[in-house]
Amino acid sequence: MTSTGNILVVDDDLLNRLVLSTNLQEQGYDVAMAENGRQALEMLGSQPFDVVLLDLVMPELDGFQVLEQMKHDSAQREIPVIVISALDEMESILRCIEMGATDYLPKPFDAALLRARLNASLANKRLRDIELEYLEQVNRVMQAAAAVESGTFECDSLNPVAARGDALGQLARVFQNMARQVYAREQSLRQQVQELQIEIDEVKKARQVAEITETEYFRDLCARAQRLRQRNGK
Amino acid sequence: MPKIVSVHSFRGGTGKSNTTANVATLLAVRGQRVGVVDADIASPGIHILFGLEEDKMGHSLNDYLWGKCDIQQTAHDVTANLGNDVKGRVFLVPSSIKAGEIARVLREGYDVGLLNDGFRDLIQTLELDVLMIDTHPGLNEETLLSIAISDVLLIILRPDQQDYQGTGVTVEVARKLSVPCMMLVVNKVPAAFPTDEVRARVEQAYHAEVAAVLPHSDEMMALASAGVFVTRYPDHPITAALKQVAERLSRSG
Ligand SMILES: Nc1ncnc2c1ncn2[C@@H]1O[C@H](COP(=O)(O)OP(=O)(O)OP(=O)(O)O)[C@@H](O)[C@H]1O
Ligand SMILES: [Mg+2]
């Protein structure tokens, strides 16, 4: 299967750029090109890439500086970087790999090697993307838990996680259901607390009281009540 | 110690009988000799709480009111059904549960004044410290009499709009009858309600003391009047609150 992906080719040598880009486009990749480090960083900042092919020796900003800055950017840190370099620059290659480069590609290019390294990097990137997305969604569930505690939880915030078919999705769905139930319960309690507003219709009460107290029996009882109590008390 | 404590509520099913039976038991635990009268002649029920079986009932309040017997003959000592902690005594005067007798008393009525004489006799002959009267909801003549002769009136209400209005009427009527001490018990309060808030609001609405705020309890529901709650659940929050009522009654009057 032909891999697809967005590749950024960074090289100050026009011929190298053309050779690489033609080769990559034939393999079905979308290719963008930068002719120095500064331009490369600009492009990285404005659009997503799946892999960067990075030459080391360039004017303006060289490959090391690009790599360094990428590793300081949380969005770019995860993009695999394949360093392009002559084999006699082994020291530089090692340094790049220490700085976080994924792999290297010796000049002159070998098409088969290029394809193999790209595929490996892309596969890694995809796995890493899945992992990152998973972590991000785990984080959402944890934030949801904190939000429930602070009373700021909104059920819909978990929708993207709840849509997952895996155990994390199930956790999010259970969580949403429980939160909905708690919310419904709180609503009904709030309603009940409102019922605790003790409202007495005074006019109606006066009428009800009068119906009882304006009877012969009641007047008589009032007169006797005190006496009866005293007698019982003995 | 007050001589006569009436337990009343404007509407039915609020917890009068359960409150009466439990407070009576707690007073007996404190060593008091307690009389309990089922003055809910139209729908008697407190005998069930005290485990008094129908065939052992003998004379009832109805027999006394019809002149068939003395009031002392209607009093049943139910202390033995209340466990071993009871140092005092509980005597129950049940109301007849025979349909014919209930129908007759409702149809023919009776001399309400006899009730008062009966209560007085009971207190004297049984040497009671306190007589508790479980009343019929509403404000009919015998209930008004019970209220009128009470030293303490305990009014039970639930957090419910209909209870609020009726309680307002009862409180007003009791004031006109100059009942020396009137206290409210708020029962069946949802567990999540803040007790202090409920107490404050009710006291403010009626300008009367709230003796207890009792939560709605599944255990109480499940017991379904088949016994006296405080003897079954000595450590329950409701028992603690009812103990305060008993304590409060002992202090008053
Ligand atoms: N705090 C409570 N929590 C749950 N259930 C309760 C509570 N208090 C009382 N009940 C239940 O409510 C029902 C009515 O109680 P009770 O018979 O004591 O009321 P009542 O006012 O005497 O009623 P009636 O007017 O019919 O004589 C009973 O089933 C009782 O178990
Ligand atoms: Mg009752």
Side-chain angles (χ1 to χ4, degrees), chain B residues 9 11-19 40 43 49 134-137 156 187-189 214-225 238:
Chain B
S9 66
R11 293 175 71 224
T14 49
K16 288 180 297 297
S17 298
N18 274 278
T19 304
D40 190 352
S43 47
L49 283 137
D134 182 14
T135 64
H136 187 66
I156 320 287
N187 192 23
K188 302 192 181 184
V189 176
L214 307 176
H216 179 90
S217 127
D218 289 343
E219 291 93 334
M220 180 79 101
M221 281 274 286
L223 183 57
S225 304
I238 286 189

Side-chain angles (χ1 to χ4, degrees), chain A residues 185 189 192-202 204-205 208-209 212-213 217-218 221-222 224-226 228-229 231-234, chain B residues 4 112 116 120 139 141 144-145 148-151 159 161 164-165 168-169 172-173 176-178 180 190 192-193 198 201-202 205-206:
Chain A
R185 212 175 107 81
L189 269 180
Q192 283 173 292
V193 171
Q194 267 167 9
E195 281 164 26
L196 202 63
Q197 298 294 348
I198 303 174
E199 280 157 20
I200 298 167
D201 180 340
E202 290 296 333
K204 184 175 160 201
K205 187 178 99 180
Q208 287 173 299
V209 169
I212 294 161
T213 57
Y217 176 80
F218 191 84
L221 190 60
C222 272
R224 284 162 51 206
Q226 182 87 16
L228 290 174
R229 264 195 302 270
R231 217 172 48 178
N232 289 334
K234 270 182 211 149
Chain B
I4 298 186
V112 170
N116 185 55
R120 206 181 58 221
L139 290 167
E141 289 193 0
L144 285 172
L145 176 88
I149 61 172
S150 296
D151 302 296
Q161 289 303 342
Y164 295 150
Q165 181 75 23
V169 174
E172 193 71 25
V173 168
K176 286 191 194 289
L177 287 169
S178 312
F193 276 26
V198 173
R201 287 208 204 176
V202 173
Y206 300 106

Side-chain angles (χ1 to χ4, degrees), chain B residues 218-241:
Chain B
D218 289 343
E219 291 93 334
M220 180 79 101
M221 281 274 286
L223 183 57
S225 304
V228 176
F229 187 83
V230 297
T231 64
R232 308 283 180 97
Y233 296 91
D235 301 318
H236 196 281
I238 286 189
T239 302

